[in-house]
Amino acid sequence: MSKKNAILATATRLFSRNGFQGTAVAELSTLTGAATGTIFHHFKNKEALFLQVLKDVKESLLDQFDRHRQQRLPGGSGLAQVLDVVSFYLHLGGTMEDQFLILHRHFPYQMAETSPVCRDHLASIYTSLLDIFEAGIQKGLEDGSVRLDDPRKTAMVLFAMVDGIVRLNTYRVYDAGALYDSLMTACKRLLAGGP
Amino acid sequence: MSKKNAILATATRLFSRNGFQGTAVAELSTLTGAATGTIFHHFKNKEALFLQVLKDVKESLLDQFDRHRQQRLPGGSGLAQVLDVVSFYLHLGGTMEDQFLILHRHFPYQMAETSPVCRDHLASIYTSLLDIFEAGIQKGLEDGSVRLDDPRKTAMVLFAMVDGIVRLNTYRVYDAGALYDSLMTACKRLLAGGP
DNA sequence: AAGCCAACCGAATGATCGGTCGGTTTTTTT
DNA sequence: AAAAAAACCGACCGATCATTCGGTTGGCTT
């Protein structure tokens, strides 16, 4: 299993940095020390390799949010919970840069149009993430710390905002750190404003 | 100039749909009817061709905002102006899908790290767009329809939100149309909330 | 009509691509 | 220890890639 994991780890890095078409199996071979025959022994083709990488991205990403949720102290308001999720998403954007880069590239979404497996992975990722945002909003609606009409749609708008900042940060257009305070106040206004 | 423009138009479509590495000069040749020699006669290599496409993207995009600004009725509040810009950005995300797809892909930002020309085009696009958002916010601060601390940073957060929605819409994750109302109320809260 | 130049052509080139295959080594099972 | 299975190897293949180059065309100037 050693070589296989090395292939997956290096493939994650190469796919995220150079894209699907920009990643050569030969380069994967030299970087991991595995022969090309070995790579195609473990994965039937390049697309299957990427689908496994995407599956790992999904699992590690959702695992991070699970861990974070479990170690959260109970008793905070719904608004505080949403702000905490937003903050954690920004944090992950830095620590899991490769995984986010893959999700920000276009090729997974093109592959999703022909590969149901790819489509399912992406759908699973986004529904799970939106559920996490929505859960905080819902809690806030119940404890009064959040006031708005449609929790799901607000979660979608909120997610687009945070994910957009993470993307523009890794693309070197924004400096996410310098935007942290503005983002937090924007979230508070967006969630706790008048009905 | 006929062949050259045909090459540029088709290159815009192919680069946006298939990416830089996914676009073969041979395909460009068959789709335009121009021989490969003709393509390299007009553009010294594939990268130079893309830089010209990016320049055209920049100019057409900023031109659209210029036209839109000129035909805007004077007298509206700053808040209304920002909402109008947001709405127009969403609209352009549909009508100029290819241009936005190019800006949402990763490869221009990678090319920017080695090509100063590419870097300048991208910087010019984002500063111009952020200026447009900020101008509305500034006007709103003066006429009292907008209340907040840092106009530039708020423009950046706002832009990340709208651009994120456009991106997730073209990637078939969101349905931007269904989010329109939620986005507008989100913008109002974000801009007009307490100080 | 002679000269010129930019537009245009497409066969040729060498590099690189994803993927295959027959064989060897290592690990697991019996 | 024998046999079966899984991991691994790297030379090889046909296809495709960006780019080159020698040559043709057609309009413009002189």
Side-chain angles (χ1 to χ4, degrees):
Chain A
M1 284 294 170
S2 176
K3 281 279 166 69
K4 188 175 181 182
N5 284 342
I7 293 167
L8 279 170
T10 306
T12 304
R13 212 177 66 232
L14 290 185
F15 281 143
S16 69
R17 282 162 161 62
N18 306 329
F20 184 76
Q21 324 216 41
T23 297
V25 179
E27 190 184 1
L28 206 47
S29 170
T30 59
L31 285 179
T32 57
T36 63
T38 304
I39 296 174
F40 286 102
H41 166 73
H42 289 295
F43 309 95
K44 82 164 196 269
N45 53 31
K46 215 172 112 174
E47 180 169 328
L49 169 60
F50 171 72
L51 290 177
Q52 183 62 48
V53 166
L54 184 61
K55 191 186 173 196
D56 291 353
V57 165
K58 175 185 73 179
E59 284 166 3
S60 60
L61 190 62
L62 299 186
D63 188 61
Q64 286 290 322
F65 275 102
D66 265 354
R67 289 168 187 265
H68 183 253
R69 185 173 53 87
Q70 279 167 17
Q71 71 185 37
R72 184 161 51 211
L73 303 172
S77 72
L79 176 61
Q81 183 174 317
V82 177
L83 292 179
D84 180 60
V85 169
V86 167
S87 182
F88 187 62
Y89 196 88
L90 275 184
H91 171 253
L92 283 184
T95 58
M96 300 179 67
E97 191 174 307
D98 286 346
Q99 283 85 345
F100 278 84
L101 256 172
I102 287 179
L103 291 176
H104 285 156
R105 282 188 172 272
H106 193 203
F107 72 89
Y109 306 88
Q110 287 183 274
M111 195 179 289
E113 289 175 12
T114 57
S115 161
V117 177
C118 186
R119 212 174 52 79
D120 287 351
H121 285 320
L122 290 175
S124 170
I125 289 171
Y126 284 106
T127 55
S128 299
L129 290 177
L130 287 173
D131 285 349
I132 292 168
F133 280 85
E134 191 184 353
I137 294 173
Q138 198 67 50
K139 186 179 175 190
L141 286 174
E142 288 158 13
D143 65 28
S145 62
V146 169
R147 271 173 294 162
L148 45 80
D149 282 333
D150 193 319
R152 189 60 170 190
K153 287 184 181 174
T154 307
M156 292 170 79
V157 170
L158 197 61
F159 174 77
M161 177 169 73
V162 183
D163 187 66
I165 287 175
V166 169
R167 174 180 161 270
L168 290 167
N169 180 62
T170 56
Y171 284 11
R172 316 270 169 225
V173 179
Y174 278 9
D175 173 11
L179 279 182
Y180 185 81
D181 290 342
S182 296
L183 173 63
M184 283 303 158
T185 53
C187 288
K188 282 182 214 156
R189 289 180 176 219
L190 207 154
L191 295 166
Chain B
M1 285 293 171
S2 176
K3 280 278 166 70
K4 188 175 182 182
N5 283 342
I7 292 167
L8 278 170
T10 306
T12 304
R13 214 178 64 233
L14 290 184
F15 281 143
S16 69
R17 283 161 161 65
N18 307 328
F20 184 76
Q21 324 216 41
T23 297
V25 178
E27 190 184 1
L28 206 47
S29 170
T30 60
L31 285 179
T32 57
T36 63
T38 304
I39 295 174
F40 285 99
H41 167 73
H42 288 295
F43 310 95
K44 81 167 196 269
N45 54 31
K46 217 172 111 174
E47 179 169 329
L49 169 59
F50 171 72
L51 290 178
Q52 184 62 50
V53 166
L54 184 61
K55 190 184 174 198
D56 291 354
V57 165
K58 174 185 74 179
E59 284 166 3
S60 61
L61 190 62
L62 299 185
D63 189 61
Q64 286 290 321
F65 275 102
D66 265 355
R67 288 167 187 266
H68 184 253
R69 184 173 54 87
Q70 279 167 18
Q71 73 185 36
R72 184 162 50 212
L73 303 173
S77 72
L79 176 62
Q81 182 173 318
V82 177
L83 292 178
D84 180 59
V85 168
V86 167
S87 182
F88 186 62
Y89 196 88
L90 276 183
H91 171 253
L92 283 184
T95 57
M96 299 178 69
E97 191 174 308
D98 287 346
Q99 283 85 346
F100 277 84
L101 256 172
I102 286 180
L103 291 176
H104 284 156
R105 283 187 171 273
H106 193 203
F107 71 89
Y109 306 89
Q110 287 182 274
M111 194 179 289
E113 290 175 12
T114 57
S115 161
V117 178
C118 186
R119 210 173 53 79
D120 287 350
H121 285 320
L122 291 176
S124 169
I125 290 171
Y126 284 106
T127 55
S128 299
L129 290 177
L130 287 173
D131 285 349
I132 292 168
F133 279 84
E134 191 183 352
I137 293 173
Q138 198 66 50
K139 186 179 175 191
L141 286 175
E142 287 157 14
D143 66 27
S145 61
V146 170
R147 271 173 295 161
L148 45 79
D149 281 334
D150 192 320
R152 190 59 170 191
K153 287 184 181 173
T154 306
M156 292 170 79
V157 171
L158 197 63
F159 175 77
M161 178 168 73
V162 183
D163 187 67
I165 287 175
V166 169
R167 174 181 161 269
L168 289 167
N169 180 62
T170 56
Y171 283 11
R172 316 271 170 224
V173 179
Y174 278 10
D175 173 12
L179 279 182
Y180 185 82
D181 290 342
S182 295
L183 174 63
M184 283 302 157
T185 54
C187 289
K188 282 181 214 157
R189 290 181 176 219
L190 208 155
L191 296 166

